[in-house]
Amino acid sequence: MKWNKFRLKTTTEAEDIVSSMLMDLGIQGVEIEDKIPLTQSDKEQMFVDILPQIEADDGVAYLSFYLEPEEDQEKILADVRRELKEMSAYVDVGECLIEESETEDVDWVNNWKQYFHQFYVDDILIIPSWEDVKPEDADKMVIHIDPGTAFGTGMHETTQLCIRQIRKYVTEETQILDVGCGSGILGMLALKFGAAHSVGTDLDPCAIDATHENMEVNGISKDKYEVMIGNIIDDKAVQDRVGYERYDIVVANILADVLVELTPVITHQLKKGGIYITSGIIDDKEQTVVDAVKAAGMEVLDVTYQGEWVCVTARK
């Protein structure tokens, strides 16, 4: 299906209010392009596998929106221009030039192919389906992961920190719980390292299909894992389904503020002596998570680092 794309040139000062105006006019899904530097809070929220490279702010912002051909585009654009003119009386909206182009529906998942290529986490080769294993990598552990709608390809530093800690503590008897499992990569690797069983929870329904697909393509049978949707922090039904004092390892690759809420709850899922692996922690939040772990009665075993990110490992 073809869409008409409209790209509005405005200012970074006005981008929020202009975006709000567009949505008030019934335009959904506005894309914002700017060069505003990331704040510390932004960096904490940029919990993605491939981080953006942002140039110096030049004060210019572009807002793009899409309209279907059958919509009354002339009326919509007239409304946009009228609102911009009124807005210009109290905020610098810039040039307000609107460029029009035609675009096809975008296959966002497959577009990741231009960015995602095979890479190594120590001696593990993580490779997408469209690339081949090189002869010199034949002796490595090979994990097949395709970028999809759920988080987790293994590229992010926090994921790699968790992988190393899981490998350090996993045994053939290990029952592992992955809170915020995303693509299922951590539970899958635990099983590849020899764990007995994996359970994953996530808030995003996309995690169900992503985990099943990744487990299947890596040859892991369905009796070895389970994945469920729900918030284990405050949903008793999820807590009951996950089970109590059942897990040798719990891994949570989530943001620090969520870990603070999760930690006193998750102690009930861990066996006595069980290992708690946490990451998603930007460096200036390390002490916050360490304090939460200690307050929950756990012993901090290890704190590891990669880039600006931290992994805190503890024992119940």
Side-chain angles (χ1 to χ4, degrees):
M1 175 180 175
K2 291 186 177 181
W3 296 71
N4 288 332
K5 176 180 179 179
F6 299 90
R7 190 168 184 253
L8 166 63
K9 185 177 183 180
T10 184
T11 65
T12 53
E13 176 188 355
E15 65 180 39
D16 289 340
I17 191 170
V18 174
S19 296
S20 178
M21 176 269 289
L22 293 173
M23 287 187 284
D24 287 344
L25 291 176
I27 296 170
Q28 302 297 321
V30 178
E31 297 174 6
I32 300 177
E33 303 170 64
D34 61 34
K35 298 176 182 176
I36 298 176
L38 295 176
T39 64
Q40 185 63 30
S41 176
D42 292 332
K43 290 180 180 179
E44 292 179 30
Q45 297 302 319
M46 292 303 293
F47 191 41
V48 296
D49 289 355
I50 302 174
L51 290 168
Q53 297 295 321
I54 300 177
E55 301 174 9
D57 180 22
D58 57 5
V60 176
Y62 293 93
L63 308 184
S64 295
F65 55 93
Y66 300 84
L67 299 176
E68 297 183 50
E70 58 267 25
E71 294 186 83
D72 189 346
Q73 298 180 13
E74 289 188 9
K75 180 182 183 305
I76 293 171
L77 291 175
D79 290 342
V80 169
R81 291 189 173 99
R82 184 191 67 249
E83 293 289 338
L84 288 169
K85 184 176 181 180
E86 293 178 3
M87 202 177 292
S88 66
Y90 56 88
V91 65
D92 179 11
V93 293
E95 298 178 43
C96 292
L97 297 176
I98 301 178
E99 300 175 355
E100 181 178 353
S101 59
E102 191 174 68
T103 183
E104 298 279 358
D105 275 343
V106 179
D107 187 349
W108 298 109
V109 172
N110 284 328
N111 276 357
W112 276 94
K113 291 183 179 182
Q114 62 184 302
Y115 303 108
F116 183 52
H117 304 286
Q118 59 185 281
F119 64 98
Y120 304 94
V121 179
D122 302 330
D123 61 343
I124 304 165
L125 173 64
I126 298 179
I127 185 169
S129 62
W130 58 87
E131 293 188 359
D132 297 322
V133 178
K134 300 171 185 176
E136 59 266 30
D137 291 328
D139 60 340
K140 289 183 170 58
M141 177 182 287
V142 177
I143 298 297
H144 299 277
I145 289 282
D146 284 355
T149 52
F151 174 83
T153 62
M155 291 186 72
H156 199 277
E157 289 96 329
T158 60
T159 311
Q160 296 181 20
L161 286 165
C162 290
I163 289 170
R164 295 187 181 102
Q165 293 301 99
I166 291 170
R167 193 173 200 176
K168 181 177 179 179
Y169 290 101
V170 76
T171 71
E172 292 182 356
E173 290 78 36
T174 293
Q175 301 281 330
I176 185 169
L177 170 63
D178 180 6
V179 180
C181 63
S183 69
I185 187 172
L186 294 178
M188 179 178 64
L189 276 164
L191 294 170
K192 286 288 189 179
F193 295 151
H197 194 264
S198 168
V199 173
T201 69
D202 205 287
L203 301 179
D204 184 356
C206 294
I208 295 282
D209 289 340
T211 296
H212 283 302
E213 289 167 8
N214 287 321
M215 291 286 189
E216 181 179 2
V217 77
N218 284 282
I220 296 173
S221 60
K222 290 184 178 179
D223 63 320
K224 299 286 285 185
Y225 70 93
E226 183 180 2
V227 59
M228 62 190 76
I229 301 304
N231 190 344
I232 197 170
I233 294 174
D234 58 15
D235 190 330
K236 183 67 162 51
V238 175
Q239 295 170 7
D240 291 345
R241 186 176 171 191
V242 167
Y244 301 95
E245 295 190 347
R246 176 181 169 186
Y247 298 94
D248 304 283
I249 296 176
V250 171
V251 59
N253 188 20
I254 315 176
L255 294 173
D257 292 344
V258 181
L259 290 171
V260 171
E261 296 182 56
L262 172 68
T263 299
V265 174
I266 212 65
T267 56
H268 302 294
Q269 274 66 46
L270 273 166
K271 295 178 182 177
K272 185 176 181 181
I275 301 298
Y276 183 44
I277 300 169
T278 66
S279 195
I281 309 162
I282 198 75
D283 50 14
D284 67 356
K285 293 281 189 176
E286 174 185 336
Q287 194 58 48
T288 300
V289 176
V290 167
D291 290 345
V293 167
K294 290 180 177 178
M298 288 190 253
E299 173 193 5
V300 175
L301 299 177
D302 202 4
V303 180
T304 53
Y305 308 87
Q306 189 170 337
E308 294 182 307
W309 299 93
V310 181
C311 178
V312 176
T313 303
R315 177 187 289 121
K316 177 178 174 181

